Amino acid sequence: MNRAPHSPWLYRFAIGTALATLALLSVGGLVTSKGVGMAVPDWPTSYGYNMFWLPISWWKGGVFYEHTHRLVAVFVGLLTSILAAWMWGRETTGRVRWAGWFTILALVLMLGHRGSGNAEGGAAGVPAHFKFLAGLMPALLIFSVAQCVRTRSALRWLAMSAFFAVILQGILGGFRVALYKDQIGIAHATLAQLFFTFICALALFLSRGWSDTDAKPTERERGLRCWFMVATLLIFFQLLLGATMRHQHAGLAIWDFPLAHGQAWPDTSVEAITRYNQQRAELVALNPITAVQVRLQMVHRILALLITIVVALSAWLTLKHAARGSVLRKVAVAWLALIALQMALGILTVLKNKPADLATAHVIVGALSFATGVVLLLLAWRVEILSFTRGGPVLSSPDGVVTN
Amino acid sequence: MKMTNWFLTTTALLAAAQFAAAADVTGKITLKGAPPEEKVLPLDPVCGKLHTVPLKTRFYVTDGKGGLADVFIYIKSGLTGAAPAPSATPAVLDQVGCEYTPYVIGVQVNQKMNVLNSDALLHNVHPTPIVEGNKEFNRAQLPKGPPISTAWPQSEILLRFKCDVHPWMFAYVGVVEHPYFAVSAKDGSFTIKNVPAGKYVIEALHRKTGKPVAKEVTVGANGAVADFTIELQ
Ligand SMILES: [Cu+2]
């Protein structure tokens, strides 16, 4: 992690990328909240046009949101490729440096080549090289993460992982449109949150303060880790549930709170489900509610309560045990504030019948909660992570890596 | 020559016999219970401009006297032999003022259906079948563009059409294997035409109530009457 000297500009660039990703998450969340994910039927083209040349006159209704989502996604993809090239260049020289840059450029050019497209939409419009990239990206992602561990977490491999992840994310988004698969939407939504968290972690590693410590955590501080871990895992599971519910496109399975369909535990018999579907007034094309969705919503509520308790305990214990001036204290309190806000947004989303803005805010604060959990974990393990990276092979190795 | 004459006469007789044996099933759909008030649809400004009165949902279209529209009525069982070939006249689903019209239509399996765009703006035609064999598609339809033709190889009641440019736009198509279906009018009345004589189970399904109502009906030379009552829970 301390392979190259701290660069304030690189750090700022990473923060900028994280913010752009958060904006992208908002637009993406809005597309799903508004139910307009399929408003542009074809991909990678837009109504048969190269996506950058879709005339403004087409940007109406759902097309506006979906097309903006695609454009912001390209922007974040470019930022990520620059970040990767930058971080790769800092840690390498000679042939290795050029090989990395060439790989990045080749992939960007491949993605830029959108094929002739097919305004009719469907799988037929997807050029073959996108299918090839879809298969290649998970392999490259695994490879770069493995390299990261092997080289004792050289940041260049982390940046490369982010680059491969963002390509995979774009392709998942495209395939969701072209193949009419709601399930791909779940993966797309989950990877979005993971990617955002990943960029946040990268920014943390690039920050001036990150390697500025040698203070061994006390026994009590170490005791906090378990709490952070449990809470973050619960949040991740909650995020999966949220993505699943949203991408079933069935709207609210339960629209009252704190009761559920007027009961402590809602009736999920066939008659009851028929009644729920009959009673709700869906203003947009929604899929029918199923018993599974009602149960998922209940699990989501219970898990929300559990997360609130665990995060509150984590924050309380952190204030009690972490050393004065420790960054853990601030982050833990911010975490609790985020969870409280998230809870409020979740309840309001239910009570106000899932308006797109509230539902999207719920997605964003969810992403921030998860990212904060991961940042807290990294901070709690900072000394171990730093000593792991310092114990790594020296940077001059035969593969032409810069020594610092 | 003699042979041909004989053949023609027989065919004519058979056709006449068929005609005599086929009659209409008529009836009325009555809604029991007060339907909830329809909600205003979240139209965007472009579509909003096309309407002077706000567009509302079409869950329960009634005549105020108990008649219920948009109920899909079809012969569920009792038919024997092969179904007649689908009508050569295509079924039509139009998009007018950012709304699919009619809200519910019926087609026979493999009958051609045309989706029109009478609006001066872009829609996308996106049926979302769930029965295997019926293929989902999502096609842009330009302002007043040419019709999008399709047909469904499998029976599916009810198959949804939507438009993702305007997420409030959705309509339903009842796809059945034979031509014996109808959609109720605003006064609840319906006619299933040319049903061969026989004993059938006829089902009436209202999309929003979700619960089909079935009835056994014997169709004779004078057809049959089948009235249905759909109850709100
Ligand atoms: Cu439309």
Side-chain angles (χ1 to χ4, degrees):
Chain A
M1 309 258 148
N2 48 345
R3 307 267 132 165
H6 170 75
S7 154
W9 279 108
L10 179 58
Y11 169 66
R12 281 172 207 144
F13 190 80
I15 291 286
T17 308
L19 289 175
T21 306
L22 198 61
L24 176 56
L25 264 172
S26 318
V27 187
L30 207 52
V31 164
T32 304
S33 300
K34 290 200 172 266
V36 294
M38 304 290 281
V40 179
D42 52 331
W43 179 88
T45 47
S46 293
Y47 287 107
Y49 287 90
N50 175 319
M51 66 175 291
F52 302 110
W53 306 122
L54 181 70
I56 292 277
S57 59
W58 290 70
W59 298 34
K60 293 204 178 106
V63 181
F64 174 79
Y65 297 99
E66 169 63 7
H67 194 63
T68 307
H69 179 43
R70 293 186 187 189
L71 290 178
V72 178
V74 171
F75 179 64
V76 169
L78 283 177
L79 287 183
T80 311
S81 57
I82 293 169
L83 188 66
W86 191 339
M87 291 174 71
W88 185 267
R90 259 163 45 105
E91 291 182 3
T92 53
T93 54
R95 246 185 250 166
V96 176
R97 177 186 273 177
W98 284 107
W101 283 352
F102 176 77
T103 306
I104 293 171
L105 188 68
L107 285 172
V108 169
L109 288 178
M110 257 175 115
L111 291 165
H113 179 69
R114 314 231 128 209
S116 56
N118 173 359
E120 299 247 307
V126 178
H129 68 280
F130 277 83
K131 292 168 194 161
F132 168 71
L133 288 177
L136 183 65
M137 282 313 118
L140 284 180
L141 194 53
I142 291 168
F143 173 72
S144 55
V145 171
Q147 281 298 86
C148 197
V149 176
R150 194 185 66 83
T151 58
R152 297 233 164 187
S153 64
L155 282 181
R156 63 181 181 281
W157 283 112
L158 274 189
M160 275 295 187
S161 308
F163 178 60
F164 298 142
V166 87
I167 294 177
L168 180 63
Q169 173 68 348
I171 291 176
L172 279 179
F175 279 19
R176 187 264 168 273
V177 169
L179 307 181
Y180 314 124
K181 284 269 184 298
D182 290 348
Q183 295 91 315
I184 299 181
I186 301 175
H188 185 61
T190 307
L191 186 53
Q193 307 243 358
L194 290 175
F195 177 75
F196 170 67
T197 302
F198 199 86
I199 296 290
C200 289
L202 259 184
L204 176 69
F205 296 150
L206 289 170
S207 67
R208 182 184 291 281
W210 170 252
S211 45
D212 244 18
T213 185
D214 282 314
K216 283 246 149 45
T218 62
E219 196 59 45
R220 285 182 147 179
E221 279 176 333
R222 243 177 263 162
L224 296 171
R225 291 169 175 177
C226 174
W227 288 95
F228 297 159
M229 180 68 98
V230 169
T232 307
L233 282 175
L234 287 178
I235 293 175
F236 181 68
F237 190 65
Q238 183 76 323
L239 191 154
L240 279 177
L241 272 180
T244 307
M245 291 191 295
R246 283 169 58 77
H247 288 269
Q248 286 173 333
H249 303 283
L252 289 174
I254 305 171
W255 47 81
D256 50 345
F257 182 88
L259 288 179
H261 291 300
Q263 292 168 294
W265 188 267
D267 188 354
T268 50
S269 64
V270 178
E271 294 75 36
I273 298 296
T274 308
R275 194 172 66 239
Y276 304 152
N277 277 306
Q278 185 184 322
Q279 282 168 349
R280 74 158 173 184
E282 69 275 33
L283 300 182
V284 295
L286 293 175
N287 293 328
I289 300 167
T290 62
V292 173
Q293 284 158 0
V294 174
R295 290 191 199 109
L296 276 183
Q297 165 76 195
M298 287 310 286
V299 176
H300 194 63
R301 289 179 180 195
I302 293 166
L303 205 50
L305 189 64
L306 207 59
I307 289 169
T308 310
I309 293 169
V310 178
V311 170
L313 273 172
S314 306
W316 180 64
L317 288 170
T318 306
L319 289 179
K320 208 169 148 203
H321 297 314
R324 240 168 232 300
S326 159
V327 66
L328 286 181
R329 301 168 72 98
K330 280 182 211 151
V331 181
V333 170
W335 203 22
L336 181 57
L338 277 173
I339 296 295
L341 176 62
Q342 180 67 341
M343 187 73 135
L345 285 171
I347 293 170
L348 277 175
T349 300
V350 169
L351 294 181
K352 303 252 174 200
N353 195 23
K354 205 182 168 212
D357 45 0
L358 275 177
T360 308
H362 191 58
V363 172
I364 300 302
V365 177
L368 287 171
S369 306
F370 178 62
T372 308
V374 169
V375 163
L376 208 49
L377 279 174
L378 293 172
L379 285 172
W381 259 286
R382 172 150 57 149
V383 172
E384 280 82 354
I385 295 171
L386 284 171
S387 78
F388 174 77
T389 58
R390 281 174 189 149
V394 193
L395 290 178
S396 62
S397 61
D399 53 352
V401 170
V402 174
T403 325
N404 177 25
Chain B
M1 192 69 172
K2 236 180 187 171
M3 194 63 177
T4 322
N5 266 340
W6 180 84
F7 177 75
L8 280 175
T9 319
T10 321
T11 320
L13 274 174
L14 272 174
Q18 184 110 37
F19 191 72
D24 296 350
V25 175
T26 56
K28 186 184 155 132
I29 312 287
T30 307
L31 179 70
K32 213 174 133 193
E37 218 177 293
E38 302 291 335
K39 298 256 164 64
V40 174
L41 291 171
L43 264 60
D44 66 3
V46 179
C47 291
K49 261 188 254 163
L50 303 174
H51 297 272
T52 43
V53 236
L55 268 195
K56 289 192 174 176
T57 49
R58 294 174 283 179
F59 298 136
Y60 299 96
V61 178
T62 64
D63 62 356
K65 291 180 279 187
L68 179 63
D70 294 332
V71 176
F72 187 68
I73 307 111
Y74 67 105
I75 295 185
K76 192 181 162 92
S77 62
L79 284 164
T80 47
S87 161
T89 317
V92 173
L93 182 61
D94 199 357
Q95 299 171 95
V96 188
C98 297
E99 202 174 31
Y100 273 114
T101 331
Y103 188 49
V104 179
I105 63 168
V107 297
Q108 189 177 343
V109 160
N110 291 327
Q111 181 186 350
K112 190 171 161 184
M113 71 172 277
N114 286 336
V115 185
L116 313 181
N117 180 4
S118 300
D119 282 334
L121 43 87
L122 171 85
H123 290 295
N124 75 9
V125 177
H126 182 189
T128 57
I130 46 177
V131 170
E132 186 133 359
N134 290 338
K135 248 179 95 187
E136 181 169 358
F137 66 81
N138 183 20
R139 257 177 246 159
Q141 198 173 27
L142 295 174
K144 308 217 188 246
I148 289 178
S149 294
T150 182
W152 302 102
Q154 298 297 327
S155 168
E156 181 164 349
I157 305 164
L158 299 158
L159 190 162
R160 183 183 63 183
F161 270 69
K162 60 185 213 157
C163 164
D164 304 84
V165 180
H166 311 111
W168 62 86
M169 287 178 64
F170 53 98
Y172 296 87
V173 182
V175 187
V176 280
E177 270 146 15
H178 50 71
Y180 310 116
F181 56 81
V183 177
S184 65
K186 203 166 176 180
D187 61 358
S189 68
F190 69 89
T191 305
I192 305 179
K193 289 218 155 107
N194 298 328
V195 181
K199 219 170 145 190
Y200 307 104
V201 174
I202 295 186
E203 194 167 85
L205 175 71
H206 182 257
R207 207 280 300 183
K208 193 59 184 165
T209 55
K211 255 194 193 161
V213 186
K215 191 165 240 176
E216 212 163 85
V217 174
T218 306
V219 180
N222 298 322
V225 174
D227 294 331
F228 293 87
T229 302
I230 288 176
E231 266 180 77
L232 278 175
Q233 290 196 5

